[in-house]
Amino acid sequence: HSITRESNSSSPLKIVYTPLHGVGQEFMKESFKTFGLNEFVSVPLQCKPDPEFPTVAFPNPEEGKSALDLAMKEADANGCSVILANDPDADRLACAEKRTDGSWYVFTGDELGAILGYVAFQNHLLKNPNSSVESLYMVSSTVSSKILKSIAKVEGFLAEECLTGFKWMANYAIRREAEGYKCLFAYEDAIGYMYGTRVLDKDGISAGGVLSEHASQLYGKGRTLYSYLEEVFSKYGYHVTNNSYFLCYEPETVKRIFGKLRNNGYPSSVGKFKITGVRDLTVGYDSSTPDNKCLLPTDPSCQMITFTFENGCVATLRTSGTEPKLKYYTEIIRRPGDTATKTSIKEELAELVKEMVTEFLQPEVNGLKPRPN
């Protein structure tokens, strides 16, 4: 995967890495060596496997700053600008970057997906300048950002979405490669990335190596990962997401919430926001298709409804297959040339999310617990 191995060690960038008491430490060391990167700074209290996870409330870097507190302190003490973190089995990757004011910005899974997806496309063209763009392929989960589709639409390659989980994405990649496509990248918003097809699953080690190499090259040019993300958005449109979850330990409560949304006819609005389309993968209904049947596979055992709004927002409510979580995923896309500011887009999306949570989920009435800080 390396493109610039010979020059990576000359970068001024210093990186902190934590496996969060998991197995990633030695694997990431080997990844950095393979890419010719400078050694990362370790987090001493977290670098060895420990099933008790004594320094974190949740050993999941997807939880953001709460899981990265020690890494941030180590980075501040050692003058590091970028933090990488794997979850305990090292198949997911999180990243934070220091701002000019000294605070830390934790990239969302969708933002890292945008960065890595564009890197995969650019790196492929560097290695294969005469290759056909039309034969390239990327895939993401249906609850992830549509950024890969936006890049593909402009550049001329194929991007698809599928159900959540890398069993789906990897099989989509295998199927498309059998048809002659080359899969460059796959991802899901929950900080899972499949860079290429050597590992047909999410892999936080290879993704960490690729991201670190690209960051090293950017810092060598006086740039940052965040500036690169802004470059992607300015070229393909701002993709603003607002995702979170509530904890719900009562299955009957979940059934009641989703039953209310579908049994009396799907809602036509949320507050002032008009709904123009509904897809229900639990029952197989899709208002956008001629026969009102879903194109994606349906699963009666999993609750999942997607709403499309007049203002361009797409919002999905779904249950987790492994945790007592009721999740929501929302995104608004503003194409290049749109006069709306990023701040106004975020405010509009936040208002919609607030209305949706209040009307659809009714946390207080249904006893839902908000995501822990």
Side-chain angles (χ1 to χ4, degrees):
H1 297 318
S2 181
I3 293 289
T4 55
R5 190 180 192 282
E6 293 74 16
S7 61
N8 287 339
S9 61
S10 63
S11 173
L13 175 63
K14 294 178 68 177
I15 297 173
V16 160
Y17 168 73
T18 175
L20 291 179
H21 301 293
V23 299
Q25 183 81 7
E26 296 305 315
F27 294 102
M28 193 62 84
K29 280 184 179 180
E30 288 301 312
S31 179
F32 269 54
K33 288 180 183 178
T34 302
F35 278 84
L37 296 161
N38 295 317
E39 290 186 13
F40 57 74
V41 175
S42 297
V43 181
L45 293 177
Q46 295 178 335
C47 65
K48 294 182 179 180
D50 187 338
E52 299 301 321
F53 308 109
T55 67
V56 289
F58 301 97
N60 182 357
E62 190 183 355
E63 297 295 337
K65 289 184 178 180
S66 61
L68 301 178
D69 286 346
L70 282 181
M72 290 175 179
K73 290 178 181 178
E74 200 67 35
D76 289 337
N78 287 275
C80 300
S81 300
V82 170
I83 293 170
L84 297 182
N86 286 139
D87 61 340
D89 59 352
D91 61 354
R92 301 180 191 273
L93 177 74
C95 177
E97 184 172 53
K98 200 164 193 176
R99 294 185 175 109
T100 54
D101 65 1
S103 64
W104 287 93
Y105 183 81
V106 181
F107 292 95
T108 68
D110 284 319
E111 288 172 337
L112 288 182
I115 291 171
L116 287 168
Y118 194 42
V119 167
F121 177 68
Q122 288 187 313
N123 284 359
H124 176 81
L125 294 185
L126 285 173
K127 280 187 172 182
N128 308 276
N130 298 318
S131 67
S132 169
V133 172
E134 290 80 6
S135 66
L136 303 180
Y137 177 70
M138 296 188 193
V139 60
S140 56
S141 68
T142 189
V143 296
S144 298
S145 169
K146 312 304 180 188
I147 183 62
L148 297 187
K149 281 192 168 185
S150 295
I151 297 173
K153 185 176 181 179
V154 173
E155 302 297 346
F157 63 88
L158 177 63
E160 290 183 301
E161 62 180 41
C162 64
L163 295 184
T164 302
F166 276 83
K167 68 177 182 180
W168 292 102
M169 281 178 271
N171 276 293
Y172 268 55
I174 292 169
R175 189 181 310 123
R176 286 300 186 183
E177 292 213 328
E179 297 172 357
Y181 289 92
K182 180 175 180 59
C183 180
L184 300 181
F185 182 64
Y187 96 96
E188 65 180 8
D189 74 292
I191 60 174
Y193 311 99
M194 185 180 89
Y195 194 93
T197 54
R198 289 188 178 183
V199 178
L200 286 166
D201 200 350
K202 57 184 180 290
D203 176 18
I205 301 300
S206 59
V210 171
L211 186 64
S212 297
E213 175 174 86
H214 194 67
S216 294
Q217 293 297 312
L218 288 171
Y219 273 76
K221 299 172 184 176
R223 296 188 59 193
T224 64
L225 285 169
Y226 190 84
S227 74
Y228 185 77
L229 176 66
E230 288 291 300
E231 176 187 328
V232 175
F233 285 161
S234 65
K235 187 172 183 179
Y236 302 108
Y238 274 100
H239 291 60
V240 179
T241 59
N242 185 334
N243 305 337
S244 192
Y245 63 82
F246 286 88
L247 296 170
C248 181
Y249 298 95
E250 300 296 334
E252 290 303 315
T253 299
V254 172
K255 290 181 181 179
R256 185 171 66 250
I257 290 172
F258 281 88
K260 184 177 178 181
L261 290 174
R262 67 168 64 95
N263 292 343
N264 296 319
Y266 296 100
S268 59
S269 64
V270 175
K272 69 179 185 180
F273 301 100
K274 183 179 178 181
I275 294 171
T276 58
V278 178
R279 183 186 66 189
D280 189 337
L281 287 177
T282 305
V283 302
Y285 172 77
D286 189 337
S287 66
S288 69
T289 60
D291 59 2
N292 291 148
K293 293 183 179 179
C294 291
L295 299 178
L296 291 177
T298 59
D299 183 359
S301 67
C302 177
Q303 301 285 353
M304 184 172 177
I305 303 177
T306 298
F307 300 95
T308 301
F309 290 83
E310 190 175 50
N311 68 346
C313 177
V314 176
T316 297
L317 300 176
R318 67 178 284 262
T319 50
S320 169
T322 57
E323 301 170 293
K325 292 179 179 178
L326 205 170
K327 300 182 175 183
Y328 63 82
Y329 309 80
T330 63
E331 179 177 41
I332 287 182
I333 302 171
R334 290 291 180 264
R335 300 300 176 188
D338 193 299
T339 56
T341 65
K342 193 174 182 180
T343 299
S344 68
I345 300 168
K346 286 184 175 180
E347 290 174 349
E348 181 180 359
L349 186 57
E351 183 182 356
L352 189 152
V353 168
K354 182 179 179 181
E355 295 282 3
M356 183 179 69
V357 167
T358 300
E359 291 189 30
F360 290 177
L361 303 185
Q362 298 180 296
E364 294 182 1
V365 174
N366 291 308
L368 306 181
K369 296 182 179 180
R371 176 179 181 170
N373 292 324

